[in-house]
Amino acid sequence: MQVRSLLATAALVGGLTAFTAPRTAPVTGHYRISEVIDQVVDLSAVGGGEQTTHLVTSTFVTLSTTDSAGGRAVRMVIDSARGDTLPEGAGIDPARWDSLRGGFATAFLDANGKLTAGPADSSMGGMQARALLREFFPRMQARARTGDHWTDTTEFAAEGSGAPGSTRRVTNWAVTGEEARGGVRARKVEGAYSQSSSGQVESPNGPMTVDGTGTGTLTYYVGPDGRHLGAASTLAMQLSITMAQAPEPIPVRVSRSATITPLP
């Protein structure tokens, strides 16, 4: 990953001061989260062929952050969600999207970028909000600046994300430069990760054991006060599904890309 050269000493000191300026008032932002998911299921083990699925969704959320001792309290609410492109013949009930509206999740983001989940709505919308909130912030120290590198390991449940059981992810991070985002000078924070997942999923045909691995990329734009100014991510997963009805494991390939765009 290319890293931009360090700024001159005077500019660096000035930039560091700007990046660590305290924020005293609560901040509320509105965002659109766009996701594209492609899935290929190889049913050769049960006498079938490949089944492909293409899904494009948009979720609109409100994110509120409030300074607290040692970090920030955050709250995400789903304002609305929709399926922009649905799999042909999928028969997805539009009410499914309506059921997400109003779902919320809370968390605490400490000075090292560690997100600790707090209370959330127990509905499907709440589970989705928790999953989205978990992906919303890079794991970085507030004082991180261009040229800094670090590695982070996280473990999380699949809650609302469509992934099986639990996931362990190892991410290599770096602050690779600065860019103007909406007239604001933002740090560009990039990550590359690998992950492994495992668990059991209930289905109409009985329990299925799912194991898989994946790799992905992350890009975040972080304002001087820590404000989220946009993000993009990719994920490619290879899964293996074991079930009583299949004599061999069923391979599944999944690719996902997502963008987070601040709204006025």
Side-chain angles (χ1 to χ4, degrees):
M1 185 179 298
Q2 184 177 6
V3 179
R4 223 174 65 178
S5 59
L6 293 177
L7 303 175
T9 302
L12 179 59
V13 172
L16 181 58
T17 301
F19 281 139
T20 58
R23 186 175 64 241
T24 56
V27 175
T28 298
H30 303 279
Y31 300 87
R32 174 180 177 173
I33 304 171
S34 302
E35 293 185 85
V36 179
I37 300 173
D38 288 288
Q39 176 179 281
V40 180
V41 182
D42 185 352
L43 297 175
S44 300
V46 290
E50 289 190 343
Q51 291 187 352
T52 61
T53 301
H54 177 70
L55 176 64
V56 181
T57 67
S58 294
T59 306
F60 299 86
V61 303
T62 296
L63 181 74
S64 302
T65 63
T66 306
D67 284 350
S68 183
R72 287 179 286 163
V74 297
R75 175 184 172 92
M76 175 178 284
V77 179
I78 296 180
D79 301 318
S80 64
R82 69 181 187 226
D84 298 312
T85 301
L86 300 178
E88 185 176 352
I92 298 178
D93 187 347
R96 173 182 175 182
W97 308 107
D98 294 338
S99 69
L100 300 178
R101 183 181 295 116
F104 72 89
T106 63
F108 182 78
L109 186 68
D110 70 17
N112 294 318
K114 180 181 178 181
L115 192 73
T116 302
D121 184 0
S122 60
S123 68
M124 182 180 296
M127 290 191 294
Q128 181 70 3
R130 189 190 294 277
L132 293 173
L133 186 57
R134 186 178 59 232
E135 302 284 345
F136 220 78
F137 300 96
R139 182 70 179 269
M140 62 176 287
Q141 294 185 353
R143 291 178 176 270
R145 59 183 185 266
T146 300
D148 286 354
H149 294 76
W150 63 98
T151 299
D152 169 64
T153 300
T154 56
E155 296 187 20
F156 51 87
E159 204 169 37
S161 66
S166 61
T167 296
R168 184 177 188 272
R169 177 180 293 180
V170 179
T171 308
N172 294 314
W173 293 98
V175 181
T176 59
E178 298 172 18
E179 289 188 18
R181 305 286 292 185
V184 177
R185 181 169 60 95
R187 284 167 291 178
K188 185 178 183 180
V189 184
E190 297 186 85
Y193 66 87
S194 60
Q195 67 178 43
S196 59
S197 303
S198 63
Q200 193 169 79
V201 179
E202 294 297 328
S203 76
N205 297 319
M208 302 185 301
T209 299
V210 184
D211 295 286
T213 59
T215 58
T217 62
L218 302 161
T219 302
Y220 292 88
Y221 297 93
V222 182
D225 59 356
R227 190 176 308 186
H228 194 298
L229 298 177
S233 65
T234 65
L235 170 62
M237 288 193 298
Q238 297 77 41
L239 304 176
S240 178
I241 299 176
T242 303
M243 54 192 303
Q245 295 84 350
E248 300 176 6
I250 296 173
V252 180
R253 302 191 307 273
V254 181
S255 64
R256 172 185 177 271
S257 61
T259 57
I260 302 176
T261 306
L263 300 175

